[in-house]
Amino acid sequence: MSVINDTLKALELRGGRGALPKAVNVPASQSGRRPLPRVALLLAVLLVAVAWAWWPTVARLLANAPVEPVVEAHEVAVEQVAEVHQAAVESVAEVTETVLADDAHSEASPAAPAVAVEPVTPPQPAPPTEPVAQVVPAPEHKPEAKPEAKPQLAIQQSPLSPAEQARQLWQQAQQADNPEPMLEQALALDPHLHPARLALIERLSQRGEGDDLLLSAARDYPQQAAYPVLAAELALAAGDNTLAEQWLSWSQRLVPEPDWRARRAVLAQQLGWLELASEDYLALLNAEPMRGTWWFGLGYARDAGRDLNGAETAYRKALASTDLSQQAREFVRDRLTVLENR
Protein backbone atom coordinates (compact mmCIF):
# COMPACT_ATOMS: atom_id res chain seq x y z
CA MET A 1 0.00 0.00 0.00
CA SER A 2 2.87 2.32 0.70
CA VAL A 3 4.13 1.79 -2.83
CA ILE A 4 0.75 2.79 -4.34
CA ASN A 5 0.61 5.88 -2.17
CA ASP A 6 4.11 6.90 -3.16
CA THR A 7 3.19 6.46 -6.83
CA LEU A 8 0.04 8.58 -6.50
CA LYS A 9 1.97 11.31 -4.77
CA ALA A 10 4.51 11.35 -7.58
CA LEU A 11 1.73 11.70 -10.16
CA GLU A 12 0.20 14.60 -8.32
CA LEU A 13 3.47 16.41 -8.34
CA ARG A 14 3.69 15.95 -12.06
CA GLY A 15 0.14 17.18 -12.58
CA GLY A 16 -1.18 14.00 -14.08
CA ARG A 17 -3.74 12.89 -11.44
CA GLY A 18 -6.05 10.19 -12.75
CA ALA A 19 -4.97 7.78 -15.43
CA LEU A 20 -1.45 6.43 -15.38
CA PRO A 21 0.76 7.22 -18.36
CA LYS A 22 1.35 4.30 -20.68
CA ALA A 23 5.06 4.69 -20.53
CA VAL A 24 5.18 4.19 -16.77
CA ASN A 25 5.26 0.59 -15.44
CA VAL A 26 4.36 -0.05 -11.82
CA PRO A 27 6.94 -2.23 -10.20
CA ALA A 28 5.56 -5.45 -8.69
CA SER A 29 7.35 -5.00 -5.35
CA GLN A 30 9.73 -2.37 -4.07
CA SER A 31 11.57 -4.88 -1.85
CA GLY A 32 12.04 -7.37 -4.72
CA ARG A 33 10.16 -10.23 -2.89
CA ARG A 34 8.17 -12.71 -4.91
CA PRO A 35 4.54 -13.38 -4.04
CA LEU A 36 4.07 -16.49 -1.81
CA PRO A 37 1.29 -18.88 -2.46
CA ARG A 38 -1.75 -18.76 -0.21
CA VAL A 39 -1.06 -22.24 1.18
CA ALA A 40 2.30 -21.18 2.67
CA LEU A 41 0.63 -18.11 4.13
CA LEU A 42 -2.08 -20.17 5.78
CA LEU A 43 0.49 -22.61 7.23
CA ALA A 44 2.52 -19.80 8.72
CA VAL A 45 -0.59 -18.21 10.26
CA LEU A 46 -1.73 -21.59 11.63
CA LEU A 47 1.72 -22.27 13.14
CA VAL A 48 1.72 -18.91 14.87
CA ALA A 49 -1.78 -19.51 16.23
CA VAL A 50 -0.89 -22.91 17.64
CA ALA A 51 2.23 -21.53 19.27
CA TRP A 52 0.26 -18.65 20.72
CA ALA A 53 -2.46 -20.99 22.06
CA TRP A 54 -0.02 -23.39 23.80
CA TRP A 55 2.29 -20.75 25.13
CA PRO A 56 0.32 -19.97 28.42
CA THR A 57 0.25 -23.69 29.31
CA VAL A 58 3.97 -24.09 28.76
CA ALA A 59 4.72 -20.91 30.69
CA ARG A 60 2.53 -22.07 33.61
CA LEU A 61 4.30 -25.47 33.76
CA LEU A 62 7.67 -23.77 33.74
CA ALA A 63 6.58 -21.37 36.44
CA ASN A 64 5.56 -24.27 38.76
CA ALA A 65 8.99 -25.94 38.61
CA PRO A 66 9.95 -27.04 42.19
CA VAL A 67 13.63 -26.40 41.98
CA GLU A 68 14.61 -22.91 43.04
CA PRO A 69 18.10 -22.76 41.52
CA VAL A 70 16.66 -23.39 38.04
CA VAL A 71 13.89 -20.76 38.27
CA GLU A 72 16.12 -17.87 37.26
CA ALA A 73 17.44 -19.71 34.23
CA HIS A 74 13.85 -20.70 33.32
CA GLU A 75 12.64 -17.10 33.50
CA VAL A 76 15.51 -16.00 31.29
CA ALA A 77 14.61 -18.74 28.82
CA VAL A 78 10.94 -17.71 28.92
CA GLU A 79 11.82 -14.08 28.21
CA GLN A 80 14.05 -15.13 25.33
CA VAL A 81 11.30 -17.35 23.91
CA ALA A 82 8.79 -14.49 24.28
CA GLU A 83 11.08 -12.14 22.40
CA VAL A 84 11.62 -14.72 19.66
CA HIS A 85 7.86 -15.34 19.52
CA GLN A 86 7.15 -11.60 19.25
CA ALA A 87 9.75 -11.27 16.49
CA ALA A 88 8.21 -14.23 14.67
CA VAL A 89 4.72 -12.67 14.92
CA GLU A 90 5.97 -9.35 13.59
CA SER A 91 7.77 -11.11 10.75
CA VAL A 92 4.64 -13.06 9.85
CA ALA A 93 2.56 -9.86 10.00
CA GLU A 94 5.01 -8.09 7.70
CA VAL A 95 5.00 -11.01 5.32
CA THR A 96 1.20 -11.08 5.38
CA GLU A 97 0.96 -7.34 4.63
CA THR A 98 3.42 -7.68 1.78
CA VAL A 99 1.55 -10.64 0.35
CA LEU A 100 -1.77 -8.76 0.49
CA ALA A 101 -0.17 -5.78 -1.24
CA ASP A 102 1.33 -7.97 -3.89
CA ASP A 103 -1.94 -9.84 -4.50
CA ALA A 104 -3.57 -6.60 -5.66
CA HIS A 105 -1.20 -6.50 -8.62
CA SER A 106 -0.85 -10.24 -9.20
CA GLU A 107 -3.10 -10.12 -12.32
CA ALA A 108 -0.87 -7.61 -14.16
CA SER A 109 2.46 -9.33 -13.30
CA PRO A 110 3.65 -12.70 -14.61
CA ALA A 111 3.40 -15.73 -12.29
CA ALA A 112 6.59 -16.38 -10.41
CA PRO A 113 7.71 -19.82 -9.42
CA ALA A 114 6.59 -20.87 -5.90
CA VAL A 115 9.26 -20.75 -3.30
CA ALA A 116 8.90 -23.24 -0.42
CA VAL A 117 8.89 -21.29 2.80
CA GLU A 118 9.80 -23.30 5.87
CA PRO A 119 7.45 -22.66 8.78
CA VAL A 120 8.96 -20.61 11.52
CA THR A 121 8.72 -22.52 14.83
CA PRO A 122 9.63 -20.83 18.03
CA PRO A 123 12.40 -22.61 19.87
CA GLN A 124 11.14 -24.86 22.65
CA PRO A 125 12.36 -23.89 26.09
CA ALA A 126 14.77 -26.32 27.63
CA PRO A 127 13.17 -28.45 30.38
CA PRO A 128 14.17 -27.38 33.84
CA THR A 129 16.83 -29.48 35.36
CA GLU A 130 16.92 -30.30 39.03
CA PRO A 131 20.06 -29.22 40.78
CA VAL A 132 22.23 -32.18 41.60
CA ALA A 133 23.56 -31.93 45.09
CA GLN A 134 27.21 -32.70 45.08
CA VAL A 135 27.84 -35.39 47.60
CA VAL A 136 31.20 -34.97 49.15
CA PRO A 137 32.34 -38.30 50.58
CA ALA A 138 33.19 -38.13 54.20
CA PRO A 139 36.86 -38.60 54.87
CA GLU A 140 37.60 -42.17 55.73
CA HIS A 141 38.31 -42.51 59.41
CA LYS A 142 41.40 -44.54 59.95
CA PRO A 143 42.00 -45.78 63.46
CA GLU A 144 45.08 -44.35 64.97
CA ALA A 145 47.85 -46.83 65.20
CA LYS A 146 48.46 -47.60 68.82
CA PRO A 147 52.05 -47.92 69.86
CA GLU A 148 53.03 -51.50 70.16
CA ALA A 149 53.11 -52.50 73.78
CA LYS A 150 56.35 -53.97 74.90
CA PRO A 151 55.98 -57.37 76.47
CA GLN A 152 56.42 -57.26 80.17
CA LEU A 153 57.54 -60.18 82.20
CA ALA A 154 54.94 -60.98 84.77
CA ILE A 155 56.74 -61.88 87.93
CA GLN A 156 54.34 -63.62 90.21
CA GLN A 157 55.31 -63.78 93.81
CA SER A 158 54.79 -67.16 95.35
CA PRO A 159 52.56 -67.22 98.42
CA LEU A 160 54.89 -69.83 99.96
CA SER A 161 57.86 -68.90 102.08
CA PRO A 162 61.35 -70.03 101.01
CA ALA A 163 61.27 -72.79 103.63
CA GLU A 164 57.92 -74.03 102.34
CA GLN A 165 59.13 -73.95 98.74
CA ALA A 166 62.24 -75.90 99.77
CA ARG A 167 60.16 -78.58 101.50
CA GLN A 168 57.92 -78.81 98.44
CA LEU A 169 60.98 -79.38 96.24
CA TRP A 170 62.23 -81.99 98.70
CA GLN A 171 58.95 -83.89 98.42
CA GLN A 172 59.07 -83.74 94.64
CA ALA A 173 62.68 -84.94 94.62
CA GLN A 174 61.69 -88.12 96.45
CA GLN A 175 59.60 -89.10 93.40
CA ALA A 176 62.01 -87.88 90.72
CA ASP A 177 64.42 -90.06 88.74
CA ASN A 178 67.16 -87.45 88.98
CA PRO A 179 66.55 -85.62 92.27
CA GLU A 180 69.93 -83.92 92.63
CA PRO A 181 68.98 -80.58 90.92
CA MET A 182 65.84 -80.32 93.05
CA LEU A 183 67.78 -81.12 96.21
CA GLU A 184 70.36 -78.46 95.47
CA GLN A 185 67.66 -75.90 94.74
CA ALA A 186 65.85 -76.82 97.96
CA LEU A 187 69.03 -76.35 100.00
CA ALA A 188 69.61 -72.97 98.32
CA LEU A 189 66.18 -71.88 99.57
CA ASP A 190 66.52 -73.42 103.04
CA PRO A 191 70.03 -74.49 104.22
CA HIS A 192 68.48 -75.99 107.36
CA LEU A 193 66.53 -78.60 105.41
CA HIS A 194 68.74 -81.46 106.68
CA PRO A 195 66.76 -84.38 105.13
CA ALA A 196 67.43 -82.92 101.66
CA ARG A 197 71.17 -82.55 102.40
CA LEU A 198 71.41 -86.13 103.78
CA ALA A 199 69.67 -87.48 100.67
CA LEU A 200 72.05 -85.51 98.46
CA ILE A 201 75.11 -86.82 100.39
CA GLU A 202 73.91 -90.41 99.99
CA ARG A 203 73.51 -90.00 96.23
CA LEU A 204 76.91 -88.33 95.88
CA SER A 205 78.53 -91.05 98.04
CA GLN A 206 77.44 -93.65 95.52
CA ARG A 207 79.90 -91.97 93.15
CA GLY A 208 82.49 -91.34 95.90
CA GLU A 209 81.83 -87.58 95.91
CA GLY A 210 79.96 -86.99 99.22
CA ASP A 211 82.80 -86.88 101.79
CA ASP A 212 83.48 -83.15 101.59
CA LEU A 213 79.83 -82.20 101.84
CA LEU A 214 79.38 -84.64 104.79
CA LEU A 215 82.34 -83.27 106.74
CA SER A 216 81.28 -79.64 106.24
CA ALA A 217 77.70 -80.48 107.32
CA ALA A 218 78.93 -82.28 110.46
CA ARG A 219 81.05 -79.21 111.40
CA ASP A 220 78.35 -76.66 110.59
CA TYR A 221 75.58 -78.55 112.39
CA PRO A 222 77.23 -80.44 115.29
CA GLN A 223 73.89 -80.99 117.08
CA GLN A 224 72.47 -83.01 114.19
CA ALA A 225 73.01 -86.72 115.01
CA ALA A 226 72.09 -87.84 111.49
CA TYR A 227 75.41 -86.68 109.96
CA PRO A 228 77.73 -88.79 112.21
CA VAL A 229 75.37 -91.79 111.92
CA LEU A 230 75.51 -91.55 108.13
CA ALA A 231 79.28 -91.17 108.27
CA ALA A 232 79.50 -94.32 110.48
CA GLU A 233 77.36 -96.30 108.03
CA LEU A 234 79.51 -95.24 105.07
CA ALA A 235 82.71 -96.10 106.97
CA LEU A 236 81.33 -99.55 107.96
CA ALA A 237 80.26 -100.21 104.38
CA ALA A 238 83.79 -99.33 103.28
CA GLY A 239 85.19 -101.85 105.85
CA ASP A 240 86.67 -99.24 108.16
CA ASN A 241 85.18 -100.34 111.54
CA THR A 242 87.45 -98.03 113.53
CA LEU A 243 86.27 -94.94 111.67
CA ALA A 244 82.70 -96.19 111.96
CA GLU A 245 83.01 -96.51 115.76
CA GLN A 246 84.47 -93.00 115.96
CA TRP A 247 81.47 -91.60 114.14
CA LEU A 248 79.11 -93.72 116.26
CA SER A 249 80.70 -92.44 119.41
CA TRP A 250 80.17 -88.89 118.21
CA SER A 251 76.47 -89.60 117.67
CA GLN A 252 76.03 -91.36 121.04
CA ARG A 253 75.73 -88.08 122.95
CA LEU A 254 73.08 -86.75 120.51
CA VAL A 255 69.38 -87.48 120.09
CA PRO A 256 68.62 -88.36 116.48
CA GLU A 257 65.27 -88.34 114.75
CA PRO A 258 63.27 -91.61 115.00
CA ASP A 259 64.35 -92.85 111.57
CA TRP A 260 67.99 -92.16 112.30
CA ARG A 261 67.68 -93.62 115.82
CA ALA A 262 66.54 -96.90 114.27
CA ARG A 263 69.48 -96.82 111.86
CA ARG A 264 71.88 -96.10 114.73
CA ALA A 265 70.44 -99.05 116.71
CA VAL A 266 71.12 -101.42 113.80
CA LEU A 267 74.59 -99.92 113.34
CA ALA A 268 75.30 -100.36 117.11
CA GLN A 269 74.27 -104.07 116.91
CA GLN A 270 76.62 -104.60 113.96
CA LEU A 271 79.53 -102.96 115.79
CA GLY A 272 78.71 -104.80 119.09
CA TRP A 273 77.49 -101.71 120.89
CA LEU A 274 74.56 -103.69 122.39
CA GLU A 275 73.81 -101.34 125.27
CA LEU A 276 73.44 -98.40 122.84
CA ALA A 277 71.27 -100.56 120.58
CA SER A 278 68.97 -101.53 123.49
CA GLU A 279 68.62 -97.91 124.55
CA ASP A 280 67.62 -96.87 121.03
CA TYR A 281 65.01 -99.65 120.69
CA LEU A 282 63.47 -98.83 124.06
CA ALA A 283 63.24 -95.18 123.01
CA LEU A 284 61.52 -96.25 119.79
CA LEU A 285 59.08 -98.52 121.72
CA ASN A 286 58.14 -95.62 123.97
CA ALA A 287 56.90 -93.85 120.86
CA GLU A 288 55.42 -96.96 119.15
CA PRO A 289 54.79 -99.73 121.75
CA MET A 290 53.07 -102.07 119.26
CA ARG A 291 55.77 -101.94 116.64
CA GLY A 292 56.96 -105.56 116.11
CA THR A 293 60.19 -104.49 114.41
CA TRP A 294 61.34 -102.60 117.50
CA TRP A 295 60.51 -105.60 119.77
CA PHE A 296 62.40 -107.90 117.50
CA GLY A 297 65.44 -105.57 117.55
CA LEU A 298 65.31 -105.29 121.31
CA GLY A 299 65.08 -109.10 121.74
CA TYR A 300 68.04 -109.61 119.43
CA ALA A 301 70.15 -107.01 121.30
CA ARG A 302 69.32 -108.65 124.67
CA ASP A 303 69.90 -112.15 123.27
CA ALA A 304 73.34 -111.08 122.01
CA GLY A 305 74.08 -109.53 125.42
CA ARG A 306 73.16 -112.78 127.23
CA ASP A 307 70.01 -111.27 128.75
CA LEU A 308 67.99 -114.40 127.93
CA ASN A 309 64.88 -113.60 130.03
CA GLY A 310 64.69 -110.12 128.58
CA ALA A 311 65.26 -111.54 125.07
CA GLU A 312 62.44 -114.15 125.52
CA THR A 313 59.98 -111.43 126.62
CA ALA A 314 60.89 -109.20 123.65
CA TYR A 315 60.58 -112.11 121.17
CA ARG A 316 57.08 -112.96 122.40
CA LYS A 317 56.01 -109.31 121.99
CA ALA A 318 57.41 -109.27 118.46
CA LEU A 319 55.59 -112.51 117.55
CA ALA A 320 52.28 -111.06 118.80
CA SER A 321 52.62 -108.01 116.53
CA THR A 322 51.22 -107.78 113.00
CA ASP A 323 54.00 -105.93 111.21
CA LEU A 324 56.77 -108.51 111.57
CA SER A 325 58.06 -110.08 108.36
CA GLN A 326 57.75 -113.80 107.73
CA GLN A 327 61.51 -114.35 107.85
CA ALA A 328 61.74 -112.51 111.20
CA ARG A 329 58.87 -114.65 112.56
CA GLU A 330 60.68 -117.91 111.70
CA PHE A 331 63.82 -116.64 113.43
CA VAL A 332 61.82 -115.64 116.52
CA ARG A 333 60.13 -119.09 116.76
CA ASP A 334 63.43 -120.89 116.53
CA ARG A 335 64.98 -118.73 119.22
CA LEU A 336 61.96 -119.13 121.52
CA THR A 337 62.19 -122.92 121.18
CA VAL A 338 65.84 -122.77 122.22
CA LEU A 339 65.20 -120.37 125.10
CA GLU A 340 62.27 -122.43 126.44
CA ASN A 341 64.31 -125.67 126.38
CA ARG A 342 67.43 -124.25 128.00
Side-chain angles (χ1 to χ4, degrees), residues 91-103:
S91 177
V92 172
E94 183 179 355
V95 172
T96 304
E97 183 180 358
T98 305
V99 170
L100 292 176
D102 293 340
D103 286 342

Side-chain angles (χ1 to χ4, degrees), residues 169-192:
L169 287 171
W170 155 238
Q171 294 175 354
Q172 294 175 0
Q174 297 179 49
Q175 306 297 329
D177 296 334
N178 183 21
E180 293 183 13
M182 292 184 181
L183 295 173
E184 292 176 353
Q185 187 176 0
L187 290 172
L189 292 172
D190 184 10
H192 298 280

Side-chain angles (χ1 to χ4, degrees), residues 147-321:
E148 183 179 357
K150 297 182 179 179
Q152 298 180 354
L153 297 178
I155 301 176
Q156 298 181 353
Q157 296 182 354
S158 175
L160 301 177
S161 64
E164 292 174 341
Q165 296 179 39
R167 185 165 295 276
Q168 188 176 30
L169 287 171
W170 155 238
Q171 294 175 354
Q172 294 175 0
Q174 297 179 49
Q175 306 297 329
D177 296 334
N178 183 21
E180 293 183 13
M182 292 184 181
L183 295 173
E184 292 176 353
Q185 187 176 0
L187 290 172
L189 292 172
D190 184 10
H192 298 280
L193 188 59
H194 300 293
R197 183 177 288 107
L198 291 167
L200 181 59
I201 293 172
E202 287 184 307
R203 290 192 62 87
L204 294 176
S205 298
Q206 295 175 3
R207 303 195 301 266
E209 301 176 357
D211 294 343
D212 295 338
L213 182 59
L214 180 57
L215 290 174
S216 62
R219 283 195 304 266
D220 295 339
Y221 307 99
Q223 301 302 320
Q224 294 293 324
Y227 294 114
V229 171
L230 178 58
E233 288 180 347
L234 294 176
L236 183 62
D240 192 347
N241 293 356
T242 303
L243 182 59
E245 290 179 355
Q246 291 177 357
W247 283 111
L248 184 61
S249 176
W250 185 351
S251 69
Q252 186 177 3
R253 57 186 178 85
L254 300 175
V255 180
E257 297 292 331
D259 293 344
W260 288 97
R261 184 182 285 271
R263 293 173 68 166
R264 187 176 72 174
V266 173
L267 180 61
Q269 285 181 348
Q270 293 174 349
L271 293 174
W273 292 36
L274 300 178
E275 185 178 357
L276 179 60
S278 298
E279 292 177 359
D280 286 339
Y281 282 126
L282 287 174
L284 292 171
L285 286 170
N286 288 332
E288 296 177 301
M290 301 302 296
R291 184 75 177 268
T293 305
W294 307 151
W295 284 113
F296 172 74
L298 179 60
Y300 186 84
R302 288 175 175 178
D303 192 5
R306 303 309 294 174
D307 184 6
L308 300 181
N309 292 330
E312 183 178 357
T313 302
Y315 283 147
R316 291 186 185 278
K317 292 283 187 179
L319 194 61
S321 66

Side-chain angles (χ1 to χ4, degrees), residues 31-50:
S31 61
R33 296 180 180 178
R34 297 180 180 179
L36 297 176
R38 288 185 176 84
V39 176
L41 178 62
L42 292 176
L43 288 175
V45 173
L46 180 61
L47 181 60
V48 172
V50 171

Side-chain angles (χ1 to χ4, degrees), residues 66-99:
V67 183
E68 296 180 357
V70 187
V71 172
E72 296 180 358
H74 175 67
E75 292 178 355
V76 174
V78 171
E79 292 178 359
Q80 294 178 355
V81 171
E83 294 177 358
V84 173
H85 176 69
Q86 184 65 28
V89 171
E90 294 178 358
S91 177
V92 172
E94 183 179 355
V95 172
T96 304
E97 183 180 358
T98 305
V99 170

